[in-house]
């Protein structure tokens, strides 16, 4: 029987979701889809000092918003639970005891004072900080006696003392480590709680995980993980270490240089479609030069062969590019729903629809609507000089506006963009005037802005009365 393919996302509940972790989750999810497998959520909450309350709930919410679906997890249950590591402490305890009995791990009773002194000494001698294995050769009896006497201890994994450790990364191939460089790492801390390195391996095995996607910052501890699988006699899953995500300057993505949390992007008005499309290309290359992918398309297209190892660059302009694209794909009604939170609520629906339709092409993120649409709700207090096109004077501009007002007020026509355009352009032509001398002042009178959509589009949304009022108002700028 073929083994069921199972992947997992195993975040620690330390707060908001880092974009790097989203990329890891997304790649795990897409890989699980491409291999027709399951995708599982497991909470790695063994580092309780760093835990943030409510992190699991907000994680589930943001994954749901992104569209990543799990088949098992703390919120869903499943046959391999519990899916929260602190609810699995007995499992780790029993398995670590098993390793001690088999001579593959040992209790270390060294005090923190001793370890500090040892480290200082190593530093002074310019040696790599490493546990000196003082407790490794305690006899089982000595170890039992100390434990029964109530001495505090951690459990450490016995690393081979020499030779090579060969590991295999699906994206990089074989990587060889020297055993002498490996520390006897802690598996269980003195409070009985396991380390990431232990709980993660135990759970991946017990949850029958077949493929692991994780960041390449885990490569240095990869040999220790593989040795732990060997110590238990378990088969290790396939590992895919995803390339680092760098900022545009080539440095690490850090909070100081801008937003690193998916929640920040959501709050600013980035669409999940854009974030997914953008993150999917941070380490995956499609076969064709297709640039836009929905999550559904990615679920079909994603494959191991497109995954690379060279560092991916987090380019905010690229994210804006995707976001503008997906915003433009929205209907006016959908866009209005997205923007509503940023718009005043005392205006008619049709007016608001007109407002968002005009901003659509210029929105990079939803929150931009505030700046792009403000003038529709209240005419800004603009300076008279803004009415001036090229060499025209303020009074010429205003007299041009007076002429336009007469036509707009007195001709009978349907007040919409097309008719307005037709009327004004033909009048300009018939009277041998220049477009800029009329259209610029008209646009400024209607918007009060240096940049805005065309005067006809604005007038159509503002309606006849408000448009004429605004033109009248421009006459006071003299
Ligand atoms: N809890 C680890 C983290 O948040 C999981 C890494 C892994 O996927 O193995 O980075």
């Amino acid at each position: 029987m073929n083994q069921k393919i199972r992947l997992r996302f195993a975040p620690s509940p330390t707060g908001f979701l880092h974009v790097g972790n989203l990329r890891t989750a997304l790649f795990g999810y897409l890989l699980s889809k491409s291999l027709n497998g399951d995708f599982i959520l497991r909470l790695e909450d063994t580092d309780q000092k760093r835990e943030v309350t409510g992190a699991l709930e907000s994680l589930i919410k943001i994954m749901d918003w992104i569209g990543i679906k799990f088949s098992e997890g703390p919120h869903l249950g499943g046959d391999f639970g519990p899916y929260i590591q602190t609810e699995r402490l007995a499992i780790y305890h029993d398995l670590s005891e098993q390793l001690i009995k088999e001579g593959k791990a040992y209790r270390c009773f060294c005090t923190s004072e001793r370890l500090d002194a040892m480290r200082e000494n190593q530093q002074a001698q310019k040696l790599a900080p490493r546990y000196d294995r003082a407790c490794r050769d305690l006899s089982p009896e000595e170890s039992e006696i100390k434990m029964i006497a109530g001495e505090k201890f951690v459990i450490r994994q016995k690393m081979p003392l020499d030779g090579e450790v060969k590991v295999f990364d699906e994206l990089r191939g074989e990587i060889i480590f020297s055993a002498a460089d490996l520390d006897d790492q802690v598996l269980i801390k003195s409070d009985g709680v396991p380390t990431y390195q232990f709980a993660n391996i135990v759970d991946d095995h017990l949850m029958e995980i077949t493929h692991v996607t994780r960041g390449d910052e885990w490569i240095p501890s990869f040999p220790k993980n593989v040795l732990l699988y060997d110590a238990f006699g378990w088969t290790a899953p396939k590992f895919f270490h995803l390339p680092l995500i760098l900022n545009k300057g080539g440095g690490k993505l850090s909070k100081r240089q801008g937003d690193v949390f998916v929640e920040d992007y959501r709050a600013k008005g980035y669409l999940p479609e854009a974030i997914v499309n953008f993150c999917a290309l941070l380490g995956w290359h499609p076969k064709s030069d297709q640039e836009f992918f929905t999550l559904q398309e990615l679920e079909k297209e994603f494959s191991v062969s497109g995954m690379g190892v060279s560092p991916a660059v987090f380019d905010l302009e690229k994210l804006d590019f995707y976001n503008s694209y997906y915003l433009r794909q929205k209907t006016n009604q959908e866009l209005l729903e997205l923007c509503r939170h940023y718009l005043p609520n005392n205006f008619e629906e049709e007016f608001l629809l007109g407002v968002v339709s005009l901003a659509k092409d210029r929105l990079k993120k939803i929150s931009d609507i505030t700046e792009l649409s403000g003038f529709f709700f209240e005419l800004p207090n603009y300076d008279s000089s803004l009415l001036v096109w090229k060499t025209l004077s303020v009074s010429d501009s205003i007299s041009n506006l007076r002429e336009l007002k007469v036509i707009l007020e007195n001709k009978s026509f349907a007040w919409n963009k097309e008719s307005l355009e037709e009327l004004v352009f033909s009048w300009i032509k018939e009277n041998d005037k220049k477009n800029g001398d009329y259209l610029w002042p008209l646009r400024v009178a209607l918007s009060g802005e240096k940049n805005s959509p065309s005067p006809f589009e604005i007038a159509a949304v503002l309606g006849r009365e408000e448009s004429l009022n605004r033109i009248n108002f421009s006459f006071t700028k003299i």
Side-chain angles (χ1 to χ4, degrees):
M1 200 185 80
N2 274 346
Q3 195 187 9
K4 177 83 186 143
I5 302 291
R6 291 168 60 80
L7 284 91
R8 50 49 174 193
F9 177 46
S12 302
T14 51
F16 289 147
L17 181 65
H18 191 285
V19 286
N21 286 344
L22 173 64
R23 194 274 309 259
T24 302
L26 183 66
F27 277 40
Y29 174 70
L30 295 174
L31 196 55
S32 76
K33 288 280 166 198
S34 78
L35 301 171
N36 206 9
D38 289 340
F39 194 53
I40 293 130
L41 178 64
R42 178 176 76 227
L43 195 70
E44 301 209 322
D45 60 342
T46 56
D47 189 354
Q48 292 180 314
K49 280 194 288 308
R50 292 175 60 219
E51 179 154 358
V52 171
T53 37
L56 174 62
E57 291 68 25
S58 67
L59 181 88
I60 291 169
K61 244 191 241 157
I62 201 83
M63 296 306 266
D64 205 45
W65 179 71
I66 287 287
I68 292 181
K69 294 173 278 301
F70 296 99
S71 43
E72 296 160 38
H75 54 316
L76 299 169
D79 293 341
F80 296 81
Y83 293 90
I84 298 184
Q85 288 188 325
T86 49
E87 294 172 15
R88 301 169 63 81
L89 298 183
I91 300 175
Y92 311 125
H93 173 264
D94 292 352
L95 285 167
S96 60
E97 285 298 319
Q98 178 189 323
L99 286 183
I100 295 176
K101 279 201 194 82
E102 293 172 357
K104 293 164 179 164
Y106 61 95
R107 296 188 194 94
C108 165
F109 297 91
C110 292
T111 59
S112 49
E113 292 76 25
R114 179 180 182 275
L115 293 175
D116 288 346
M118 179 195 77
R119 246 173 251 125
E120 267 170 41
N121 206 347
Q122 286 168 338
Q123 248 166 13
Q125 294 182 59
K126 302 224 170 357
L127 295 170
R130 181 150 324 143
Y131 177 56
D132 63 5
R133 296 174 166 152
C135 294
R136 181 161 162 148
D137 297 320
L138 287 177
S139 70
E141 295 72 28
E142 283 170 304
S143 175
E144 287 287 309
I145 291 168
K146 278 173 170 289
M147 180 176 70
I148 292 164
E151 273 190 54
K152 281 193 144 211
F153 64 88
V154 300
I155 300 177
R156 291 183 184 271
Q157 183 182 354
K158 271 191 195 171
M159 295 296 163
L161 298 175
D162 47 37
E164 286 178 340
V165 184
K166 292 181 181 165
V167 296
F168 193 84
D169 173 76
E170 299 298 317
L171 304 176
R172 295 166 178 76
E174 189 174 73
I175 311 175
I176 301 177
F177 292 84
S178 158
D181 293 335
L182 305 177
D183 205 0
D184 279 1
Q185 68 174 343
V186 175
L187 303 179
I188 304 279
K189 294 175 275 188
S190 59
D191 56 3
V193 177
T195 56
Y196 156 78
Q197 303 291 357
F198 189 60
N200 181 272
I201 297 318
V202 164
D203 288 348
D204 279 351
H205 173 72
L206 295 180
M207 293 182 181
E208 297 182 9
I209 299 304
T210 54
H211 297 64
V212 169
T213 52
R214 61 179 189 180
D216 64 4
E217 69 273 20
W218 296 110
I219 290 183
S221 49
F222 190 19
K224 301 183 202 174
N225 305 145
V226 170
L227 288 167
L228 197 53
Y229 279 103
D230 290 349
F232 278 117
W234 297 338
T235 307
K238 290 186 156 84
F239 280 88
F240 299 75
H241 288 95
L242 306 177
L244 208 64
I245 303 178
L246 302 176
N247 62 34
K248 248 183 134 180
K252 244 184 105 180
L253 272 193
S254 82
K255 255 188 265 179
R256 256 171 295 125
Q257 287 149 338
D259 297 317
V260 291
F261 298 119
V262 183
E263 284 84 349
D264 293 331
Y265 290 98
R266 180 182 187 173
K268 278 199 188 154
Y270 286 91
L271 296 172
E273 297 92 312
I275 297 177
V276 161
N277 200 149
F278 174 72
C279 282
L281 298 171
L282 295 176
W284 173 73
H285 308 278
K287 280 190 214 87
S288 64
D289 51 11
Q290 184 176 338
E291 210 165 2
F292 299 104
F293 291 91
T294 62
L295 187 58
Q296 290 69 33
E297 286 169 326
L298 288 167
E299 287 173 11
K300 290 199 194 85
E301 296 287 320
F302 193 88
S303 71
V304 175
S305 60
M307 291 169 78
V309 294
S310 43
V313 178
F314 190 92
D315 180 355
L316 206 53
E317 280 169 31
K318 195 86 200 183
L319 178 59
D320 283 345
F321 164 77
Y322 284 117
N323 209 43
S324 321
Y325 171 80
Y326 286 106
L327 284 167
R328 287 199 303 275
Q329 308 303 307
K330 300 284 176 195
T331 64
N332 291 342
Q333 189 66 50
E334 286 168 338
L335 191 60
L336 175 56
E337 295 320 323
L338 291 166
C339 293
R340 208 180 278 284
H341 164 72
Y342 296 95
L343 298 173
N345 55 15
N346 51 342
F347 286 84
E348 294 209 347
E349 193 74 359
E350 202 176 318
F351 177 67
L352 295 177
L353 281 169
V355 169
V356 296
S357 76
L358 287 193
K360 206 182 210 176
D361 285 350
R362 296 194 298 152
L363 282 178
K364 282 197 179 128
K365 46 193 188 302
I366 303 169
S367 55
D368 292 344
I369 191 73
T370 312
E371 207 186 312
L372 291 177
S373 70
F375 70 86
F376 279 107
F377 306 108
E378 195 181 342
L379 184 67
N381 186 15
Y382 61 92
D383 192 82
S384 57
S385 62
L386 201 61
L387 288 166
V388 170
W389 172 250
K390 291 193 174 163
T391 54
L392 232 55
S393 67
V394 173
S395 65
D396 288 342
S397 305
I398 290 177
S399 74
N400 290 357
L401 281 166
R402 284 189 190 279
E403 286 179 78
L404 283 177
K405 194 196 155 205
V406 174
I407 326 161
L408 294 176
E409 211 163 30
N410 299 333
K411 294 254 181 198
S412 108
F413 67 100
W415 192 275
N416 59 40
K417 181 190 157 230
E418 291 71 28
S419 318
L420 283 159
E421 218 163 34
E422 159 77 33
L423 182 75
V424 173
F425 275 129
S426 43
W427 180 86
I428 289 178
K429 207 167 168 200
E430 277 159 26
N431 295 280
D432 208 17
K433 309 281 189 194
K434 288 199 195 105
N435 283 344
D437 292 348
Y438 285 82
L439 302 189
W440 177 274
L442 179 60
R443 199 187 55 68
V444 172
L446 294 172
S447 69
E449 297 277 0
K450 193 161 175 224
N451 300 307
S452 71
S454 85
F456 310 113
E457 290 175 308
I458 301 174
V461 172
L462 287 176
R464 184 175 192 275
E465 193 185 332
E466 178 65 12
S467 302
L468 293 175
N469 282 346
R470 290 188 179 197
I471 297 172
N472 269 336
F473 177 74
S474 73
F475 305 158
T476 67
K477 294 278 176 182
I478 198 85

